[in-house]
């Protein structure tokens, strides 16, 4: 047996244990150990000192760190046939932005008194009585404004009507 094999061969089980404990994946650990052994054999003459074990473990450790960095950048590789179809694509989210834009435009098209009561009740969560106190109108007026505002908002959103601009002369 040549000196290179005699120095490296007894270290292989320990290298495999270290790689497996690091990666928790037997096949990937064996691949990294194989890469380590290839580097050790290829750079055998470049090693410093007579201690082979720390040198080979340093090579393996550096390969494991590199593998971990690559894995964190690339993510987990999963065979395509094992992936759920829903995970492969994401529904388009442009509609949500368009609906939000349309809702804001429709709110802007409402008269101020209707928009005020709608926002205080729907967005701020105030009760009808609290809104009546804030706006300074009777409770019945708040209820009629909220009803007319909701109807007008539903009409604007349903018809896709754009707010009309007033011309100032």
């Amino acid at each position: 047996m040549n000196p290179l094999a005699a120095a490296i061969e007894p270290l292989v089980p320990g290298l495999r244990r270290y790689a497996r404990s690091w990666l928790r994946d037997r096949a990937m650990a064996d691949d990294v150990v194989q890469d380590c052994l290839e580097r050790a054999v290829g750079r055998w003459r470049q090693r410093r000192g007579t201690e082979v074990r720390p040198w080979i473990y340093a090579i393996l450790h550096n390969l494991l760190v590199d593998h971990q960095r690559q894995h964190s950048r690339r993510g987990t590789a999963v065979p395509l046939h094992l992936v759920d179809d829903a995970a492969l694509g994401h529904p388009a989210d442009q509609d949500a932005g368009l609906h939000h834009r349309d809702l804001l435009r429709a709110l802007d098209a409402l008269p101020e008194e209707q928009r005020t009561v709608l926002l205080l009740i729907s967005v701020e969560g105030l009760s009808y009585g609290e809104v009546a106190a804030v706006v300074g109108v009777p409770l019945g007026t708040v209820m009629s404004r909220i009803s007319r505002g909701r109807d007008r908002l539903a009409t604007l959103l349903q018809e896709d009507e754009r707010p009309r601009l007033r011309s100032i002369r």
Side-chain angles (χ1 to χ4, degrees), residues 13-154:
L15 294 171
R16 291 177 77 197
R17 274 192 307 271
Y18 181 60
R20 285 180 186 172
S21 66
W22 182 289
L23 296 174
R24 307 269 193 258
D25 180 357
R26 172 175 256 160
M28 188 60 64
D30 288 343
D31 289 345
V32 174
V33 169
Q34 179 68 33
D35 291 343
C36 171
L37 295 174
E38 286 177 17
R39 285 191 185 190
V41 169
R43 297 177 182 166
W44 184 253
R45 296 194 192 282
Q46 295 175 0
R47 76 183 193 291
R48 296 183 197 133
T50 58
E51 293 295 320
V52 174
R53 186 172 187 212
W55 178 69
I56 290 182
Y57 272 89
I59 293 171
L60 178 61
H61 179 77
N62 291 335
L63 286 172
L64 289 168
V65 169
D66 289 345
H67 179 270
Q68 195 71 24
R69 285 183 187 147
Q70 286 177 351
H71 182 69
S72 67
R73 280 193 310 262
R74 292 182 183 164
T76 304
V78 178
L80 199 53
H81 68 280
L82 295 178
V83 177
D84 183 25
D85 289 340
L88 293 177
H90 299 283
D93 60 353
Q94 296 93 341
D95 285 346
L98 293 174
H99 291 302
H100 184 255
R101 182 201 65 196
D102 291 344
L103 177 63
L104 292 177
R105 284 184 180 171
L107 278 171
D108 288 342
L110 292 177
E112 182 182 339
E113 63 273 354
Q114 291 175 4
R115 181 175 54 244
T116 301
V117 294
L118 272 174
L119 291 175
L120 288 174
I121 290 171
S122 301
V123 176
E124 297 302 322
L126 297 177
S127 70
Y128 286 16
E130 292 170 328
V131 171
V134 168
V135 179
V137 295
L139 181 63
T141 304
V142 169
M143 292 170 65
S144 77
R145 286 180 183 176
I146 202 89
S147 176
R148 285 184 309 211
R150 285 178 178 161
D151 289 343
R152 178 74 178 140
L153 195 59

